Amino acid sequence: MTLEIVHGKLLATVDEMGAVLARTSMSPVIYEVLDFACGICDPKGDLIAQANGLTLFTGTFAAQVRFIIEKHGERMQPGDAFITNDPFHGGTHCCDMAVVKPLFHDGVRVGFAISVAHWLDVGGAVAGSLPADATEVFQEGLRLPGIRLCRDGELLEDVRDVIAANSRLPKMALGDLNAELAAVNIAAARIGELCGRYGADGLAEAFGHILETGEREARAALAALPDGIYEAEDFIDGDGRTEDRIPIQVSVRIEGERLTADFTGSSAARPGPINCTTGALQSAVKSVFKALVGPHAPSNEGWFRPVDITVPEGTVFSAVSPSPIGWYYEGAAQASELVWKALAPVAPERFSAGSYMSLCATYICGEDRDGEAFVHIEPQHGGWGATPERDGASGLIAITDGDTYNLSAELLEAKYPLRLVRYAFNTAEGPGAGRHRGGYGLVREYEVLSDNAFTYASLGRSVEQPWGADGGAPGSRNYIEITSGGKTRRVARIPHAGLKKGDRVAIVTGGGGGWGDPAARDRAAIEADIADGLIGADEARAAYGA
């Protein structure tokens, strides 16, 4: 009973960390989109508890904390805190800043608190720090490789000054830094309360119980699945520098109580910034694995002990310095989708047909009405694939982003020189037909109210369509339509497009793949879609033969 009480307190603590971070941050991408995550790790760096947040941070916490342990070891003291965003040491990309605080009780280190959040600008070649045509990581902003941030509980002024000097939005960057520090400090207070009541030994026992329980449940779930090798192949639609079809593949082996995902055979790292590092790859695989073995249970490192990941160094999924990795979530999303696709026949009750997959993140930057710099970014929602039991989800965030949202129209228009002029289902392309159809993507269109603005983006699934399953039709593609000077053009990966007042940017996300023979779709379901204006009668006849 005591162990469960401590576990509940830890889960409440990480939720409190998330609430503190969201409420004290200055960036809409943090407090509104919720592009962050918070966690508590044991003294070895194993994740014990994590707040709901960005899915792709699930697998990076342990690696980032262990990087701090390896670098600073026994030199860590009470009152210390460290900061890291190095993609090649457990991180994702330079915009995702991690603050790590060692937790002490009576002079003994009992664990770590970590908060990771997306900062809107950390320098680099463009506002927003994610040039879509970057050729090396040095163009993607400031890197802080696990350096000391606080000593004796005080922020080091030199580090603060370096951060401020390297951001186009220094006040926002420092405000978000303080929010992350507040999150890890509240964790330190709560862990101190636990140690005061149950002792450091009692806390360590609870940590062990949590990890062992997660591992036991994961192994039981794997043992219930058929042994075998399950494979999937796909293509990435260009890299921001070229439009090449980039081949990727995975072989997933389930053997007893273990699962191995082998990405051997995938393309070498690309010259453009859609690569990801092994930290992001681990998160991508772990996210899908968790969906397989225990989607509703809180995450901890114990769940992932039965997972092995094999990938040669220097691939698109295991890039090394100085490869560009700014748009890492596009590569990581492809990795997640590969494993998802491989496992869909094994666990159709867990995995749908293919989704729109890409976050379709599109930057709109420039000067606001006061001449101040602005950086607007938000993830876009789209269509998910159908399952054997139901139609796909419409307008749902991609697997890589978990519990994040887009901005409300009211906040968007209050914060930025933009007007949201359309937000609707993408019925023009629609989803893949099937006995159960895919979910619908969305159209989100902005009007620019600034005379000095620009946009850039790097969208995947703009050529390759979301895959259908068991005879279902593929879904539709993602794209952006830019209307400027009376002309409209369609793009997907674009490094720069100038914008003036009155220009429009429409982000169109694809529909998910269908599941099963379209001819077997229930007539009432077809008629309901027609009545709802999702599909025309003629289109329905063509898709379903009805």
Side-chain angles (χ1 to χ4, degrees):
M1 178 64 73
T2 300
L3 295 175
E4 290 304 318
I5 291 172
V6 174
H7 191 193
K9 175 74 170 180
L10 291 168
L11 293 174
T13 297
V14 292
D15 284 344
E16 185 179 8
M17 292 173 69
V20 167
L21 176 51
R23 291 180 180 181
T24 58
S25 68
M26 295 186 67
S27 300
V29 74
I30 297 177
Y31 66 73
E32 187 78 3
V33 173
L34 307 185
D35 191 344
F36 69 85
C38 301
I40 292 172
C41 298
D42 72 5
K44 296 179 181 179
D46 283 336
L47 175 67
I48 300 297
Q50 177 183 344
N52 289 339
L54 197 74
T55 314
L56 267 179
F57 294 152
T58 298
T60 63
F61 280 0
Q64 288 175 305
V65 171
R66 286 170 186 153
F67 175 47
I68 298 299
I69 294 172
E70 291 169 5
K71 187 167 184 177
H72 296 278
E74 298 307 314
R75 296 193 305 276
M76 288 185 277
Q77 298 294 326
D80 281 351
F82 303 87
I83 187 167
T84 183
N85 67 338
D86 195 327
F88 306 107
H89 288 95
T92 49
H93 62 180
C94 297
C95 287
D96 289 337
M97 285 285 182
V99 172
V100 178
K101 184 179 182 68
L103 307 174
F104 289 85
H105 179 69
D106 291 338
V108 177
R109 194 171 70 229
V110 296
F112 293 86
I114 179 171
S115 60
V116 182
H118 182 106
W119 292 10
L120 278 178
D121 187 273
V122 293
V126 297
S129 311
L130 298 183
D133 60 350
T135 57
E136 56 183 7
V137 70
F138 304 110
Q139 298 162 356
E140 297 173 334
L142 176 68
R143 271 195 293 167
L144 299 173
I147 63 174
R148 183 175 272 101
L149 177 66
C150 297
R151 180 180 282 113
D152 297 326
E154 297 295 326
L155 179 64
L156 298 176
E157 292 186 5
D158 290 347
V159 177
R160 181 198 62 193
D161 291 347
V162 168
I163 291 171
N166 281 275
S167 175
R168 296 173 179 85
L169 304 168
K171 291 182 180 179
M172 194 168 287
L174 294 179
D176 293 339
L177 172 63
N178 287 332
E180 289 195 64
L181 279 170
V184 297
N185 286 336
I186 200 68
R190 298 295 175 257
I191 293 297
E193 293 169 2
L194 279 171
C195 288
R197 183 163 186 177
Y198 301 105
D201 291 342
L203 183 67
E205 183 183 1
F207 284 174
H209 169 74
I210 291 166
L211 294 172
E212 290 165 8
T213 301
E215 180 180 5
R216 183 170 60 251
E217 294 187 14
R219 290 185 181 279
L222 283 175
L225 296 172
D227 286 358
I229 298 175
Y230 308 96
E231 298 178 332
E233 297 179 348
D234 204 348
F235 291 92
I236 300 175
D237 305 328
D239 61 13
R241 302 290 302 181
T242 75
E243 296 182 359
D244 297 346
R245 297 175 78 226
I246 303 165
I248 52 175
Q249 63 186 61
V250 72
S251 175
V252 179
R253 177 190 294 272
I254 297 176
E255 189 172 13
E257 297 180 354
R258 295 205 68 81
L259 180 146
T260 301
D262 186 350
F263 292 88
T264 301
S266 294
S267 169
R270 301 294 301 178
I274 52 81
N275 306 296
C276 70
T277 59
T278 52
L281 176 67
Q282 289 173 11
S283 281
V285 176
K286 288 177 178 180
S287 297
V288 179
F289 178 78
K290 189 64 165 52
L292 174 68
V293 299
H296 303 297
S299 284
N300 61 70
E301 205 65 30
W303 283 95
F304 308 122
R305 285 176 173 173
V307 179
D308 296 310
I309 300 171
T310 301
V311 61
E313 185 177 273
T315 75
V316 70
F317 297 134
S318 55
V320 295
S321 184
S323 293
I325 41 72
W327 294 81
Y328 84 95
Y329 42 81
E330 291 297 316
Q334 297 272 181
S336 291
E337 186 87 348
L338 269 179
V339 179
W340 188 283
K341 183 178 182 180
L343 292 174
V346 185
E349 73 283 0
R350 293 276 198 240
F351 298 119
S352 65
S355 74
Y356 81 113
M357 189 201 72
S358 172
L359 281 180
C360 299
T362 303
Y363 277 84
I364 304 177
C365 311
E367 292 184 357
D368 63 18
R369 60 183 64 89
D370 298 319
E372 297 290 332
F374 77 90
V375 176
H376 165 264
I377 181 60
E378 57 183 323
Q380 303 295 330
H381 299 59
W384 280 58
T387 75
E389 303 298 329
R390 62 184 66 87
D391 291 345
S394 299
L396 184 67
I397 193 63
I399 185 174
T400 52
D401 248 34
D403 291 328
T404 60
Y405 302 88
N406 55 17
L407 301 179
S408 67
E410 295 81 3
L411 184 140
L412 170 79
E413 295 178 357
K415 289 287 184 180
Y416 300 105
L418 300 170
R419 180 181 294 124
L420 190 63
V421 295
R422 182 166 48 138
Y423 194 30
F425 284 123
N426 173 17
T427 57
E429 282 81 15
R435 180 166 59 88
H436 297 290
R437 61 159 172 78
Y440 279 83
L442 301 176
V443 181
R444 191 165 168 94
E445 185 172 9
Y446 309 88
E447 180 183 355
V448 178
L449 304 180
S450 168
D451 283 320
N452 183 13
F454 62 94
T455 186
Y456 65 94
S458 189
L459 275 59
R461 280 281 181 263
S462 59
V463 178
E464 298 294 325
Q465 295 167 263
W467 45 275
D470 195 25
S476 52
R477 302 174 178 91
N478 306 309
Y479 59 89
I480 303 168
E481 285 190 340
I482 300 173
T483 301
S484 180
K487 297 180 180 179
T488 298
R489 57 175 173 150
R490 183 175 292 191
V491 297
R493 302 199 195 275
I494 180 171
H496 181 90
L499 300 170
K500 295 294 184 181
K501 187 174 182 179
D503 290 349
R504 294 193 175 192
V505 178
I507 304 165
V508 183
T509 59
W515 196 299
D517 184 357
R521 184 163 176 78
D522 182 68
R523 183 180 181 88
I526 299 172
E527 291 174 348
D529 283 348
I530 294 172
D532 289 339
L534 294 173
I535 191 171
D538 290 341
E539 295 171 286
R541 290 189 191 96
Y544 299 104

